[in-house]
Amino acid sequence: ADYGLEINDRPVRSSGIPAEGADALERHLATAFESRQQQRFELSVMSTDGGVMLEVLLQPEIDALGGVISVLAIGRDISERKKLEQERGRHEQQLRDMLVQTIHSMALTVEKRDPYTAGHQGRVADLAVAITDHHDRGEREATAALHHLRDAVDEDDLLDELVVGLF
């Protein structure tokens, strides 16, 4: 059904919303009319300053007989929040990578001290990778390296606390 969707007195398809965004908007609008339920989704829109990410809320207005007489649309700019979420994700990945590198360095130091166990960490890491894909590879390798360190270090209780705190 055509609900006559317009933005600033222009049809939605000529309002700066990319085609896939216009399709999503029309689908959610149709769902709001048909289900009489609130719809919430994210929408990318072009503006004079570039791209903007909006969180859109569609709230049907219901008459006394239970029919939808209109749908109120509210858009909120969430571009900054999305940028911060992406940045946070990059920082989290950098921290994970640094943690794995630190653990590998510690394990290498222990292996240098005890050549008899050299390569054990790598074999345990390979076994961990073969057993599970529940976590990403870097975390599995770090766990295997910590296992090797724990075998080599006398202060097991201290290292156990470190392992529990990290994972």
Side-chain angles (χ1 to χ4, degrees):
D2 180 13
Y3 297 103
L5 180 61
E6 293 182 349
I7 297 176
N8 294 331
D9 297 324
R10 294 187 339 212
V12 69
R13 300 228 175 249
S14 62
S15 64
I17 298 175
E20 63 274 0
D23 291 343
L25 183 57
E26 288 175 349
R27 267 193 325 274
H28 286 284
L29 182 64
T31 301
F33 268 102
E34 292 164 10
S35 70
R36 298 187 304 271
Q37 299 292 316
Q38 181 184 83
Q39 300 293 305
R40 185 182 304 260
F41 61 100
E42 294 178 1
L43 180 65
S44 178
V45 182
M46 297 305 294
S47 72
T48 56
D49 299 335
V52 175
M53 181 62 77
L54 297 176
E55 178 181 52
V56 178
L57 172 71
L58 299 176
Q59 180 63 52
E61 295 180 305
I62 312 295
D63 65 15
L65 300 174
V68 177
I69 53 175
S70 66
V71 174
L72 176 65
I74 302 169
R76 180 174 59 158
D77 186 344
I78 58 170
S79 303
E80 188 64 28
R81 183 182 87 196
K82 287 295 189 180
K83 287 177 193 172
L84 291 173
E85 287 173 358
Q86 288 176 346
E87 188 176 327
R88 186 187 73 220
R90 282 193 305 275
H91 287 243
E92 286 174 355
Q93 186 59 48
Q94 287 173 343
L95 285 172
R96 271 190 224 101
D97 292 346
M98 287 189 292
L99 174 63
V100 169
Q101 290 172 359
T102 300
I103 292 169
H104 281 289
S105 296
M106 291 169 61
L108 231 114
T109 301
V110 170
E111 279 190 359
K112 294 278 187 204
R113 191 181 76 186
D114 184 6
Y116 178 73
T117 62
H120 174 71
Q121 169 210 334
R123 290 188 299 275
V124 172
D126 291 342
L127 182 60
V129 168
I131 291 173
T132 179
D133 6 281
H134 183 66
H135 297 296
D136 83 344
R137 182 178 172 90
E139 289 177 4
R140 288 191 304 249
E141 290 176 354
T143 302
L146 281 171
H147 161 78
H148 178 65
L149 279 174
R150 195 170 102 203
D151 287 346
V153 174
D154 293 331
E155 296 86 23
D156 280 340
D157 293 337
L158 177 63
L159 198 54
D160 283 341
E161 288 179 29
L162 173 66
V163 171
V164 169
L166 292 176
F167 299 100

